[in-house]
Amino acid sequence: MPEVMTTTGEITSSDRWEHFLIRWGYKRMEHKVKPGIYSLGAPNPMSPVFVTANYKLSFDALRSSIGAGDCYILVLNTFGINVWCAAGKGTFGTDELCLRIEVEELEKLVTHRTVILPQLGASGVSAHEVKKRTGFTAEYGPVRASDIPEYMEAREASPSMRAVTFPLKDRAVLTPIEFSSAFWPMVALSL
């Protein structure tokens, strides 16, 4: 039987502190989780399998959106890069997904043959190639992890769940990293 790590849907104060550090760029490439398979709740062989990157913020967004649900989370090794960027760089891709399905012996954990990927990972994953190489169907979920509960009810993403938006609230979250990366060059220029 494969090694299954456990996680919860709870974001702790320690997680929030780490999120703060990430947003300010502190040791940014070191905020990652171990690639592999995680159980959330009490999954059974029919429970869904969600796929994400090993970037701490991506992993936490997924697990906290699922909350108290029972599922497996398959974490790909993206070297601490988020799903969208890793898909563009090729680390959230077909080869890594197929490798992780094989290494984690996913076929021994679930009786169905479906993995649910984030929509933003679609550019890196060839669904027909995954099916051909592993027997698993790659299903694309919504863009935002927060839409997963609604998505799972219908098992279909609405047009709004497929839309990529970047509202002011999301832009504001990125302000600290932009400020911190510009701070020292501004100090040097002012001297």
Side-chain angles (χ1 to χ4, degrees):
M1 230 16 204
E3 176 195 352
V4 179
M5 297 169 275
T6 59
T7 190
T8 68
E10 178 188 0
I11 300 297
T12 64
S13 56
S14 174
D15 292 323
R16 284 189 177 81
W17 175 246
E18 188 172 3
H19 296 177
F20 174 81
L21 294 175
I22 293 168
R23 294 292 184 211
W24 281 93
Y26 180 74
K27 295 185 177 182
R28 189 163 184 169
M29 297 308 294
E30 295 179 25
H31 299 279
K32 43 190 161 182
V33 298
K34 183 179 177 187
I37 188 84
Y38 291 78
S39 66
L40 191 143
N44 63 53
M46 288 303 297
S47 295
V49 178
F50 294 96
V51 181
T52 192
N54 74 326
Y55 180 51
K56 177 75 166 142
L57 290 177
S58 297
F59 180 75
D60 285 355
L62 175 60
R63 71 186 180 92
S64 65
S65 293
I66 296 168
D70 300 322
C71 68
Y72 290 104
I73 299 175
L74 183 63
V75 177
L76 305 186
N77 184 8
T78 61
F79 305 97
I81 306 290
N82 69 59
V83 170
W84 200 1
C85 293
K89 292 177 186 229
T91 55
F92 189 98
T94 304
D95 290 339
E96 173 62 15
L97 177 57
C98 292
L99 173 70
R100 197 62 49 195
I101 288 171
E102 181 184 322
V103 167
E104 302 305 331
E105 300 178 289
L106 194 56
E107 74 283 353
K108 292 181 180 178
L109 284 177
V110 293
T111 54
H112 62 81
R113 294 294 177 258
T114 302
V115 291
I116 303 168
L117 290 89
Q119 181 67 44
L120 294 179
S123 64
V125 177
S126 171
H128 73 277
E129 188 68 23
V130 171
K131 177 76 170 174
K132 184 171 96 176
R133 289 167 56 182
T134 68
F136 278 82
T137 299
E139 180 180 306
Y140 296 101
V143 168
R144 295 185 178 277
S146 58
D147 288 331
I148 287 174
E150 184 182 343
Y151 169 81
M152 290 305 290
E153 287 178 21
R155 205 61 184 251
E156 185 177 347
S158 67
S160 67
M161 288 182 200
R162 294 270 185 241
V164 177
T165 59
F166 199 41
L168 185 58
K169 175 184 154 198
D170 292 346
R171 293 170 196 242
V173 168
L174 299 176
T175 303
I177 190 67
E178 296 300 327
F179 176 77
S180 66
S181 63
F183 180 75
W184 291 114
M186 286 190 306
V187 169
L189 284 173
S190 65
L191 294 175

